[in-house]
C-alpha cells in the first residue's frame, strides 16, 4: 500500500488447492453449480434412516414446527455444525438451515444470522438476499427463499482464478453493501479489535511489533465511522443469475472498520494478482483512514486463515495414516496453501509498518 503499495499486490503464483479437511474442503461436485438456488439437479436423496438420520429427523421436525408447509426434498449440505435442506414451502422453492451444534458460540452466531434476515424484512439491502420465510432463534432453525443462480466458486481459496466478470460482479455486490447504512441498532459490531489483536498475540500469531503497529493504526482510526459489511465476503457466498448477483450466509454481518469485506476478498484471491491489485487500489482510493482500516482488517483476516489451516493440517496428520491413499498429496496441498498465506501475511505486515511510518 502507498509507499508499500506493491506489498499487498501479490505476484502470480502456482495454484494452491484448498484444504481437504471436512470443514474446509470444497463442496461435493454435485452441488457446485448452485448453493441456495438454481434449477440444476443436486445429488443425494434425503436419507433419514440410521443413527445419522436421527439427527436429520430431529432437524426436519424442528423446521416443520415453525413452517408446517415446508417439504424437505434433499440434503444440500451437512457439516459438523449445520445442515442445509432444500425443499418447498407451499409451491415456492425454499432452503432450511438447522444448527446441529448447539454450543453457546454457534447458537449466538446462528441467532445473529436470523436477526439479519429479520432486519432485511424491514430494511431491504441494496443487493438481493434470500427472503425470510420462518425462523426460530430458540431451536436455531431458519427457513428462507431458495435463490436462483450459480455459485462463483465452491472453494474458500479458489484453485483457479475466477473470470474477470465474476470477480467484478462479486466486488460490485460487496461494495454496494459497504455503502449501505441500515438504521442504528439494526446490527452490532462482530469484532472487538483490541481484544482480537491481544488474543492473536497471546497465541503467538502476532509478534510484539505486529501488536504495537496495529494498536497505533487503531488509535488513528478511533473516530472513523464503522462500515457495514457482509462479514464473510467469499466468492462462495455470491450467486450469479441474469437478474444480478445475490449474497447468502449473513451470519457475520455488522459494523466493522472500513475495508473488512475487501480484506476477506483479497485474502482468498491468492491466484488472481489482477483482482488483488484492483481491491488494493479501491481501498486506497477511499482515503487514508479507509486504507489503514483495510490494512488492520487484512492482518487479522490472514492471521485467522493461518490459524484455521494450521489447525486443519494438524488434525489431518493425526487422523490420517501416512500410507493412506492420497494422504501425502492432501498434506502437501495444505502446506502449499499455508505457505502462501504466510507469504501474504508478510506482505500485509510490511504494508502495516509502512502505514505506521507515515503517521
Amino acid at each position: 500500500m502507498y509507499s508499500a503499495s506493491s506489498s499487498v499486490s501479490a505476484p502470480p503464483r502456482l495454484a494452491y488447492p484448498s484444504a481437504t479437511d471436512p470443514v474446509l474442503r470444497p463442496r461435493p461436485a454435485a452441488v457446485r453449480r448452485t448453493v441456495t438456488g438454481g434449477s440444476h439437479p443436486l445429488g443425494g436423496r434425503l436419507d433419514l434412516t440410521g443413527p445419522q438420520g436421527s439427527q436429520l429427523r430431529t432437524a426436519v421436525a424442528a423446521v416443520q414446527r415453525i413452517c408446517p408447509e415446508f417439504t424437505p426434498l434433499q440434503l444440500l449440505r451437512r457439516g459438523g455444525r449445520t445442515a442445509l435442506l432444500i425443499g418447498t414451502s407451499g409451491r415456492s422453492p425454499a432452503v432450511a438451515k438447522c444448527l446441529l451444534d448447539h454450543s453457546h458460540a454457534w447458537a449466538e452466531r446462528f441467532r445473529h444470522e436470523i436477526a439479519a434476515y429479520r432486519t432485511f424484512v424491514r430494511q431491504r439491502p441494496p443487493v438481493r438476499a434470500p427472503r425470510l420465510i420462518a425462523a426460530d432463534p430458540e431451536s436455531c432453525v431458519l427457513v428462507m427463499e431458495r435463490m436462483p443462480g450459480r455459485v462463483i466458486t465452491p472453494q474458500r481459496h479458489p484453485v483457479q482464478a475466477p473470470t474477470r466478470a465474476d470477480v467484478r460482479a462479486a466486488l460490485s455486490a460487496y461494495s454496494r453493501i459497504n455503502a449501505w447504512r441500515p438504521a442504528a441498532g439494526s446490527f452490532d459490531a462482530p469484532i472487538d479489535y483490541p481484544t482480537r489483536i491481544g488474543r492473536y498475540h497471546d497465541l503467538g500469531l502476532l509478534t510484539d511489533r505486529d501488536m504495537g503497529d496495529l494498536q497505533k493504526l487503531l488509535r488513528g482510526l478511533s473516530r472513523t465511522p464503522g462500515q457495514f459489511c457482509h462479514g464473510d465476503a467469499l466468492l462462495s457466498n455470491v450467486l450469479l443469475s441474469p437478474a444480478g448477483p445475490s449474497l447468502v450466509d449473513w451470519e457475520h454481518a455488522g459494523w466493522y472498520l472500513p475495508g473488512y469485506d475487501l480484506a476477506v476478498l483479497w485474502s482468498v484471491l491468492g491466484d488472481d494478482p489482477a483482482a488483488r491489485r484492483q481491491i488494493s487500489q479501491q481501498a486506497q482510493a477511499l482515503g487514508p483512514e479507509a486504507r489503514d482500516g483495510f490494512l488492520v482488517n487484512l492482518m487479522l483476516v490472514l492471521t485467522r486463515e493461518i490459524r484455521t489451516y494450521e489447525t486443519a493440517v494438524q488434525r489431518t496428520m493425526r487422523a490420517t495414516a501416512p500410507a493412506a491413499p492420497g494422504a501425502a498429496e492432501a498434506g502437501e496441498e495444505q502446506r502449499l496453501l499455508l505457505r502462501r498465506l504466510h507469504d501474504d501475511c508478510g506482505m500485509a505486515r510490511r504494508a502495516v509498518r509502512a502505514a505506521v511510518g507515515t503517521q
Side-chain angles (χ1 to χ4, degrees):
M1 301 289 292
Y2 40 119
S3 62
S5 58
S6 62
S7 66
V8 289
S9 298
R13 301 178 184 273
L14 297 174
Y16 290 88
S18 61
T20 55
D21 181 85
V23 177
L24 303 170
R25 69 163 65 114
R27 298 183 180 97
V31 302
R32 284 190 176 183
R33 299 189 65 185
T34 177
V35 174
T36 59
S39 57
H40 306 293
L42 298 166
R45 65 184 179 87
L46 184 60
D47 184 1
L48 300 179
T49 62
Q52 293 188 347
S54 174
Q55 200 172 40
L56 286 180
R57 289 196 300 274
T58 300
V60 169
V63 172
Q64 293 180 331
R65 275 197 300 272
I66 66 166
C67 186
E69 63 272 23
F70 181 80
T71 302
L73 299 177
Q74 289 175 302
L75 176 65
L76 178 60
R77 186 172 71 246
R78 175 178 177 167
R81 296 181 174 91
T82 59
L84 207 60
L85 303 165
I86 61 172
T88 59
S89 177
R91 294 186 176 182
S92 301
V95 174
K97 186 174 183 179
C98 311
L99 187 66
L100 304 178
D101 176 359
H102 285 263
S103 60
H104 177 74
W106 285 98
E108 285 302 306
R109 182 179 296 184
F110 200 97
R111 289 165 188 148
H112 182 89
E113 184 173 14
I114 290 175
Y117 282 111
R118 285 178 169 173
T119 299
F120 294 160
V121 174
R122 304 186 302 272
Q123 305 175 66
R124 293 302 299 170
V127 297
R128 300 182 72 210
R131 177 180 58 85
L132 177 67
I133 297 175
D136 180 18
E138 294 303 316
S139 59
C140 293
V141 174
L142 174 63
V143 184
M144 53 197 156
E145 172 189 14
R146 182 181 170 200
M147 301 294 289
R150 64 173 179 86
V151 67
I152 290 181
T153 174
Q155 299 162 321
R156 185 177 187 88
H157 293 268
V159 175
Q160 296 181 335
T163 67
R164 302 303 315 138
D166 285 359
V167 172
R168 283 196 302 269
L171 188 55
S172 174
Y174 287 121
S175 296
R176 290 201 300 274
I177 281 295
N178 297 157
W180 188 42
R181 306 292 294 185
S186 302
F187 291 90
D188 59 13
I191 292 181
D192 181 329
Y193 283 89
T195 300
R196 180 72 59 89
I197 291 170
R199 184 166 78 249
Y200 285 169
H201 175 261
D202 292 342
L203 290 170
L205 299 169
L206 295 175
T207 66
D208 292 346
R209 172 100 183 252
D210 291 336
M211 184 171 70
D213 288 344
L214 291 173
Q215 288 173 338
K216 288 178 182 177
L217 290 185
L218 279 183
R219 285 195 290 271
L221 294 164
S222 60
R223 298 182 181 274
T224 301
Q227 181 183 67
F228 184 76
C229 293
H230 177 278
D232 198 19
L234 305 173
L235 298 176
S236 57
N237 286 333
V238 184
L239 299 177
L240 299 180
S241 73
S246 306
L247 299 182
V248 298
D249 290 350
W250 291 86
E251 62 192 52
H252 300 283
W255 297 98
Y256 294 79
L257 284 178
Y260 188 84
D261 283 344
L262 293 179
V264 173
L265 274 176
W266 193 96
S267 73
V268 299
L269 285 169
D271 294 308
D272 194 341
R276 281 188 160 183
R277 282 193 297 271
Q278 181 181 357
I279 291 169
S280 296
Q281 290 165 1
Q282 182 169 323
Q284 294 182 74
L286 297 175
E289 291 182 343
R291 174 197 63 198
D292 290 352
F294 169 73
L295 286 175
V296 172
N297 285 318
L298 186 60
M299 274 295 292
L300 295 184
V301 167
L302 288 170
T303 302
R304 179 197 64 196
E305 293 294 293
I306 289 171
R307 182 188 182 196
T308 299
Y309 279 87
E310 283 182 343
T311 301
V313 168
Q314 294 169 2
R315 189 161 55 236
T316 299
M317 292 176 63
R318 289 195 301 267
T320 307
E329 181 181 353
E332 181 63 17
E333 290 173 355
Q334 291 177 329
R335 285 189 289 272
L336 287 172
L337 177 57
L338 265 175
R339 188 176 70 186
R340 193 207 83 195
L341 290 170
H342 279 288
D343 289 346
D344 289 346
C345 197
M347 288 188 286
R349 177 177 290 111
R350 291 190 292 272
V352 166
R353 291 177 181 176
V356 171
T358 64
Q359 291 187 345

